[in-house]
Amino acid sequence: MPLDTKTINKIKKSLHGISIPTSLKNQDPFDFKLLGSGETRPPSYIIKILLEALSERPLHRGMEKSEWEEALSYKNKIWLISDWKHYAWRISSSKGSINESKELTKRLSSSGKIIDTFIRKQAKDVIKKEKYSLNNQFREYRSIYKYYRDLLDDLIAKANPDRIVGKPGKKRTELVNSYVQSKRHAEYTLISTAVFFFSITEIIFDAYFSISDRRNLSFIDFRKLDWAERFKFIFEAPFNENVNKIYQHLIKIRKFYRNIPVHASPEFRLSIEIDNIGLIPMSFEDLDAPGLSYGFKFDIEDAKDILTTFDETISLFTNSKVTWFAYTYAESELPFHINDEFSEELKGHMKTKRGFKKEIDKRVLYYAMINGEI
């Protein structure tokens, strides 16, 4: 996405008074002192594009944990602008003051908005052609799921009526109150657990789409399919007995413990008026539908069954040859390439699980190195 001449001229005009020094012969790099660090607005990549437009060449390589650095001349003084871990950037000088550093930072940040505007305009065409990649947040969402899952396991253990023992009195009353409260909190926590469980399945679906046969479907159209349709897109009906059992239970769980509470769906809150009776549900069977019941109707055994199905689903994703590659890809935290040029290159390593895992590990190591994590 190279900058056009109009944008480059606009950048140079906005940076009037800031230039690339012709010589650094009398400048000792050890004399530079750090005057500003951790700048992230705009992020480092914007400043890199900005300085390359000004210098009309690639920037100099940086030192440890810094991809690039470039010397600037501002107010007859030399300044060093450098990257920090591909996102933040720093500003140093041997003779410049803090106030001058702030002035220069403000000038660079203001000019960076020109590039951001250019990128946003160009991005519309890129997105339309699906030449982009998706951020992979699998580990983040899995961590949140595990947090609620562990909390729910603890609440289920406390919501055990067998723990209510002893003669009537203060201690037994406390046990009863603890049981009722734990049961109520378990119901609330089950909803949070379900929400984040289905979030990680959505991420696995996206990973699958990135590296599998898309069947002439665009990513936008794939995402327009509801959850059940995307599950069928991956596993292809008719399911075997095990997959069908998991699928049927997931559909029920998703409906009652994810969709209805998250969207405050009126589906099971509709009432009609009957003469001499008042408001009643459209069907008495609705009275038995799972919902926020303040713990009184909530069945702990149902919660245990739901968690078992969640475990069986994860096991299906990790062990099925249909989804093993997608799950491994999701776990890596690497971006999912919707851009078919990038995805086809990765798909070339899918001949064996070992070969694919080796390539994934190599890419993870590369990203860690360039981000200064190791």
Side-chain angles (χ1 to χ4, degrees), residues 144-192:
I144 301 173
Y145 164 72
K146 287 184 174 180
Y147 168 80
Y148 284 113
R149 169 66 189 266
D150 291 344
L151 187 60
L152 180 57
D153 284 333
D154 185 56
L155 289 168
I156 287 175
K158 291 179 179 178
N160 182 354
D162 294 338
R163 298 177 73 243
I164 304 174
V165 296
K167 296 178 180 181
K170 182 179 179 181
K171 186 174 181 180
R172 185 180 176 88
T173 299
E174 289 176 351
L175 291 172
V176 170
N177 290 338
S178 175
Y179 164 75
V180 173
Q181 187 178 50
S182 295
K183 194 175 180 182
R184 180 182 300 176
H185 290 171
E187 182 179 21
Y188 301 160
T189 307
L190 176 58
I191 291 171
S192 298

Side-chain angles (χ1 to χ4, degrees), residues 69-302:
E69 62 182 26
E70 188 62 58
L72 295 180
S73 175
Y74 176 62
K75 291 192 172 180
N76 297 318
K77 296 168 185 175
I78 301 299
W79 304 79
L80 184 67
I81 313 299
S82 58
D83 162 72
W84 181 248
K85 294 186 176 182
H86 295 264
Y87 188 67
W89 50 286
R90 303 174 294 186
I91 184 167
S92 307
S93 179
S94 59
K95 298 179 180 179
S97 67
I98 290 288
N99 287 336
E100 289 173 326
S101 169
K102 290 180 179 179
E103 290 174 12
L104 180 56
T105 298
K106 188 175 180 180
R107 291 280 306 277
L108 294 174
S109 298
S110 179
S111 298
K113 294 178 182 179
I114 298 173
I115 295 173
D116 194 52
T117 299
F118 172 82
I119 291 174
R120 279 191 282 112
K121 289 179 179 179
Q122 296 296 311
K124 293 179 180 179
D125 186 55
V126 170
I127 292 172
K128 187 177 181 180
K129 295 178 180 178
E130 297 206 333
K131 299 295 183 182
Y132 55 85
S133 299
L134 303 175
N135 289 332
N136 178 358
Q137 295 180 295
F138 178 80
R139 290 191 183 182
E140 179 182 350
Y141 279 80
R142 184 175 60 180
S143 295
I144 301 173
Y145 164 72
K146 287 184 174 180
Y147 168 80
Y148 284 113
R149 169 66 189 266
D150 291 344
L151 187 60
L152 180 57
D153 284 333
D154 185 56
L155 289 168
I156 287 175
K158 291 179 179 178
N160 182 354
D162 294 338
R163 298 177 73 243
I164 304 174
V165 296
K167 296 178 180 181
K170 182 179 179 181
K171 186 174 181 180
R172 185 180 176 88
T173 299
E174 289 176 351
L175 291 172
V176 170
N177 290 338
S178 175
Y179 164 75
V180 173
Q181 187 178 50
S182 295
K183 194 175 180 182
R184 180 182 300 176
H185 290 171
E187 182 179 21
Y188 301 160
T189 307
L190 176 58
I191 291 171
S192 298
T193 305
V195 166
F196 284 99
F197 170 80
F198 283 105
S199 291
I200 63 177
T201 64
E202 300 264 3
I203 295 171
I204 294 168
F205 290 174
D206 289 346
Y208 178 88
F209 183 85
S210 172
I211 56 174
S212 301
D213 181 7
R214 302 177 182 181
R215 302 171 212 170
N216 297 318
L217 204 63
S218 69
F219 178 69
I220 298 300
D221 289 335
F222 175 73
R223 266 295 189 163
K224 285 180 180 178
L225 300 175
D226 64 27
W227 188 93
E229 290 173 321
R230 278 176 285 155
F231 188 96
K232 293 176 181 176
F233 181 92
I234 293 172
F235 287 100
E236 295 189 35
F239 305 137
N240 63 41
E241 184 178 351
N242 178 54
V243 174
N244 187 60
K245 175 190 171 186
I246 292 172
Y247 170 77
Q248 294 298 337
H249 197 197
L250 287 174
I251 293 300
K252 182 179 178 181
I253 296 167
R254 184 174 172 82
K255 180 177 183 180
F256 292 117
Y257 291 101
R258 192 268 182 192
N259 293 355
I260 292 176
V262 167
H263 299 296
S265 172
E267 185 175 354
F268 291 98
R269 295 188 290 113
L270 300 179
S271 300
I272 57 175
E273 187 173 358
I274 299 294
D275 292 342
N276 301 320
I277 295 179
L279 293 174
I280 65 169
M282 295 180 65
S283 169
F284 69 82
E285 292 182 354
D286 293 348
L287 297 173
D288 298 321
L292 290 178
S293 59
Y294 302 102
F296 296 113
K297 294 180 181 178
F298 178 66
D299 191 337
I300 288 295
E301 293 304 315
D302 284 347

